[in-house]
């Protein structure tokens, strides 16, 4: 075990803090120093509050010294995607329209993690309102991939993935509407989970597409990710779509790492053409590995997945056009042309014209069009029908197998700027992750090696039925353990990290 707190896992840090071997103050300070050292290059953070973080850490140390039991992550630092409201820090969704906005309440996720004694280091960069796959749509500059600073860290939760990958934070939160946790986790060599829809609370998470948005965890190990997942999940009466059921036993599953006797399906529609050869190579090796560990592997066809991307790009923009109507220059953040010479409507439209970036405007226009009378049935209506077909394909598949697997992304991290002007190329980054969002079930991405052609991380996606999130962790932990033994843990020690 390393003695540098920034190189330790969240699980190790939590244990060391509980036993009194390390203080939360020392651990927090080490991470703040790391941020000061590397974030000029990485730009993972939009907001860091050193004094507030140290104050939280000392308060946790005092409570622990008084004998309070705050759980396994007490005193461990965390970074929050800037989509989660926090009472003590601004929340901008990386948009100009919310510049400097200070929320009056905490998101349930922020609140629960505070209660569990986690220390908030700061808020992380993202694509504006979580629309994008590279973090290049942020109004506050791009984040960079710590493995190669000329490449994207994925998106939309790219600040969170960059921060954890660069050892600036052991844990981070994200949200996954179409892939925004799994895709950045995959391209930064991390574990990232999209919980079952309704398994984690959306209360206080700035809404993009409410029927898809799912808060979830990032970590460098499967166990760390499971510990965070468990710490913030569970029923929340303040979210009307929250599920009133026990949290799946993800931590227990993460410690079992055993796939013997499991049936694993390879989705034939997410396996092949247009994928980077090195990604496919590592994916096929992972499937062979799972088979060697005692799982039965079969091919499963889910034909509706071919139309998932098109359906998503009607449903998500439709919901976004409705959700973003609240940014009307009256209630939050930016207000321009408020000079007495302009009417209310002018103030609203000028504020929206200046406050929203190009991708957000594109989505609002697409969504408004798809929902407009005369086009509603043809666009939004058909997309909802496709959604039902995707659910049915998942149901049929899970009648036969315990989990489905695919590559998480078709390629490794792409160069900054490569897809920025080509929305279609950008949208393709989520080809493999979107079906799970449309169906609402659980999925996880776990590192499965480096692509031979560029030395960059590849992610294996594991998908499970709703409320069977624990299965994704079980498979993830088995892959992690087997690869750790096979390559001396090279992936986890990140010797290749560029910062
Ligand atoms: N990249 C997808 C999009 O732009 C997914 C985003 C997300 O999951 N928040 O919509």
């Amino acid at each position: 075990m390393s003695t540098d707190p920034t190189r330790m896992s969240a699980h190790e840090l939590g244990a060391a803090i509980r036993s009194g071997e390390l203080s939360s103050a020392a651990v927090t300070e080490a991470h703040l120093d790391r941020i000061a050292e590397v974030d000029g290059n990485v730009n993972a953070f939009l907001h860091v509050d050193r004094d507030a973080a140290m104050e939280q850490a000392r308060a946790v140390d005092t409570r622990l010294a008084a004998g309070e039991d705050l759980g396994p992550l007490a005193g461990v630092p965390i970074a929050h995607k800037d989509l989660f409201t926090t009472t003590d820090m601004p929340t901008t969704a990386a948009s100009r329209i919310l510049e400097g906005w200070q929320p009056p309440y905490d998101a349930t996720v922020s609140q629960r993690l505070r209660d569990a004694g986690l220390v908030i280091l700061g808020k992380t960069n993202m694509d504006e309102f979580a629309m994008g796959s590279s973090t290049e749509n942020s109004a506050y500059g791009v984040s960079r991939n710590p493995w190669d600073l000329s490449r994207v860290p994925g998106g939309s939760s790219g600040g969170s993935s960059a921060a954890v990958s660069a050892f600036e934070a052991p844990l981070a939160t994200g949200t996954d509407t179409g892939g925004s946790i799994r895709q950045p986790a995959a391209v930064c060599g991390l574990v990232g989970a999209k919980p079952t829809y309704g398994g984690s609370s959306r209360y206080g998470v700035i809404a993009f597409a409410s029927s898809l948005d799912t808060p979830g965890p990032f970590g460098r190990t499967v166990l760390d990710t499971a510990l965070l997942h468990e710490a913030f999940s569970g029923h929340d009466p303040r979210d009307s779509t929250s599920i009133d059921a026990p949290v799946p036993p993800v931590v227990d599953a993460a410690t079992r790492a055993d796939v013997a006797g499991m049936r694993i399906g390879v989705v034939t529609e997410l396996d092949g053409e247009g994928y980077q050869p090195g990604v496919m190579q590592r994916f096929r090796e992972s499937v062979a590995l799972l088979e060697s560990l005692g799982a039965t592997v079969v091919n499963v066809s889910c034909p509706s997945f071919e139309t998932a991307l098109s359906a998503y790009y009607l449903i998500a923009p439709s919901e976004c056009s409705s959700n973003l109507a609240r940014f009307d220059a009256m209630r939050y953040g930016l207000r321009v042309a408020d000079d007495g010479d302009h009417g209310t409507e002018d103030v609203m439209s000028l504020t929206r014209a200046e406050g929203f970036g190009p991708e957000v405007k594109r989505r609002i226009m697409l969504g408004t069009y798809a929902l407009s009378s005369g086009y509603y049935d043809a666009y939004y209506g058909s997309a909802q029908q496709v959604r039902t077909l995707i659910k049915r394909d998942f149901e049929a598949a899970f009648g036969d197998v315990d989990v489905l697997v695919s590559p998480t992304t078709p390629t490794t991290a792409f160069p900054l700027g490569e897809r920025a002007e080509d929305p279609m190329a950008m949208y393709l980054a989520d080809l493999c992750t979107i079906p799970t969002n449309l169906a609402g079930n659980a999925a996880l991405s776990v590192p499965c090696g480096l692509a031979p052609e560029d030395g960059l991380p590849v992610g294996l996606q594991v998908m499970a039925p709703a409320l069977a999130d624990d299965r994704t962790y079980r498979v993830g932990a088995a892959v992690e353990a087997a690869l750790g033994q096979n390559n001396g843990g090279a992936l986890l020690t990140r010797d290749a990290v560029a910062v």
Side-chain angles (χ1 to χ4, degrees):
M1 186 165 106
S2 167
T3 50
D4 172 356
T6 66
R7 302 289 154 149
M8 289 165 67
S9 71
H11 177 247
E12 290 166 349
L13 289 170
I17 293 169
R18 270 147 75 93
S19 72
E21 212 176 302
L22 282 174
S23 66
S24 175
V27 169
T28 302
E29 190 165 34
H31 285 91
L32 289 165
D33 289 348
R34 175 75 182 161
I35 294 170
E37 183 194 344
V38 302
D39 209 51
N41 287 331
V42 179
N43 195 32
F45 284 90
L46 291 177
H47 185 86
V48 176
D49 192 334
R50 199 178 172 99
D51 294 341
M54 288 307 297
E55 203 176 299
Q56 290 172 59
R58 283 190 287 263
V60 174
D61 283 333
T62 306
R63 290 173 71 182
L64 292 173
E68 259 187 81
D69 182 6
L70 297 172
L73 294 178
V76 176
I78 188 163
H80 285 311
K81 185 177 188 179
D82 206 26
L83 203 60
F84 291 86
T85 57
T86 40
T87 48
D88 49 358
M89 289 181 191
T91 300
T92 66
S95 181
R96 287 275 169 229
I97 213 158
L98 279 175
E99 192 161 0
W101 181 59
Q102 181 79 43
Y105 65 101
D106 262 340
T108 295
V109 168
S110 319
Q111 183 60 54
R112 286 188 179 167
L113 295 178
R114 260 191 232 281
D115 293 346
L118 283 94
V119 174
I120 307 175
L121 294 168
K123 305 296 286 289
T124 59
N125 198 13
M126 52 182 285
D127 286 299
E128 185 178 4
F129 285 105
M131 297 171 200
S133 304
S134 68
T135 316
E136 291 167 294
N137 295 336
S138 167
Y140 304 104
V142 302
S143 297
R144 293 170 183 275
N145 191 315
W147 287 78
D148 176 345
L149 295 172
S150 71
R151 293 180 187 253
V152 305
S156 64
S157 317
S160 288
S161 61
V164 177
S165 178
F167 301 98
E168 295 171 87
L171 297 170
T173 54
T175 60
D176 193 313
T177 301
S180 282
I181 293 173
R182 289 161 287 162
Q183 184 260 7
V187 302
C188 285
L190 302 176
V191 183
K194 186 208 95 67
T196 298
Y197 178 79
S200 53
S201 173
R202 288 183 296 109
Y203 180 78
V205 180
I206 296 172
F208 161 17
S210 305
S211 77
L212 304 163
D213 296 343
T214 315
F218 284 100
R220 288 191 295 264
T221 70
V222 175
L223 178 57
D224 282 4
T225 311
L227 286 165
L228 181 57
H229 186 139
E230 204 159 277
F232 64 61
S233 296
H235 183 237
D236 179 9
R238 290 188 290 193
D239 171 357
S240 63
T241 56
S242 169
I243 299 175
D244 192 359
V247 178
V250 292
V251 172
D252 181 57
T255 54
R256 279 174 56 202
D258 167 24
V259 293
M262 273 183 110
R263 280 180 71 79
I264 296 179
V266 175
V267 183
T268 48
E269 285 76 10
L270 301 179
D271 179 358
E273 226 178 291
Y275 290 59
Q276 188 178 321
V279 168
M280 285 317 293
Q281 184 185 330
R282 293 300 179 228
F283 172 64
R284 293 199 200 296
E285 286 167 9
S286 312
V287 171
L289 176 69
L290 289 166
E291 210 162 12
S292 75
L293 295 171
T296 303
V297 176
V298 295
N299 285 327
V300 175
S301 175
C302 296
S304 66
F305 287 15
E306 308 249 11
T307 42
L309 195 72
S310 314
Y312 172 86
Y313 277 100
L314 289 167
I315 292 168
S318 295
E319 295 188 19
C320 130
S321 71
S322 157
N323 272 326
L324 270 55
R326 76 192 61 179
F327 301 103
D328 58 3
M330 301 296 139
R331 284 179 276 194
Y332 315 89
L334 188 72
R335 183 181 300 169
V336 302
D338 187 18
D339 50 14
D341 294 341
H342 291 84
T344 310
E345 246 178 70
D346 282 348
V347 173
M348 286 182 181
S349 63
L350 290 168
T351 300
R352 285 167 69 85
E354 193 173 313
F356 289 140
E359 182 63 23
V360 173
K361 288 179 184 159
R362 184 180 295 126
R363 305 276 179 117
I364 292 173
M365 285 189 283
L366 250 171
T368 309
Y369 185 76
L371 291 175
S372 58
S373 104
Y375 295 104
Y376 183 98
D377 287 342
Y379 293 113
Y380 185 75
S382 321
Q384 290 290 22
Q385 286 170 339
V386 168
R387 196 169 183 175
T388 303
L389 296 177
I390 290 168
K391 273 195 189 127
R392 285 191 195 146
D393 274 354
F394 268 119
E395 272 161 27
F398 290 133
D400 181 37
V401 297
D402 300 304
V403 295
L404 292 168
V405 292
S406 75
T408 307
T409 57
T411 69
T412 55
F414 44 90
L416 283 158
E418 187 187 83
R419 303 189 191 178
E421 304 304 323
D422 183 351
M424 266 313 289
M426 191 70 86
Y427 297 172
L428 285 169
D430 297 309
L431 195 62
C432 310
T433 47
I434 278 174
T436 310
N437 296 83
L438 289 171
N441 50 314
L444 169 139
S445 179
V446 63
C448 66
L450 305 178
E453 58 270 61
D454 54 23
L456 293 168
V458 178
L460 169 72
Q461 178 177 229
V462 188
M463 298 165 272
L467 291 176
D469 305 49
D470 49 308
R471 291 185 202 169
T472 68
Y473 282 91
R474 204 171 135 193
V475 175
V479 170
E480 178 184 73
L483 290 181
Q485 282 158 17
N486 292 349
N487 67 7
L491 200 61
L492 289 176
T493 55
R494 300 298 185 303
D495 290 332
V497 97
V499 289

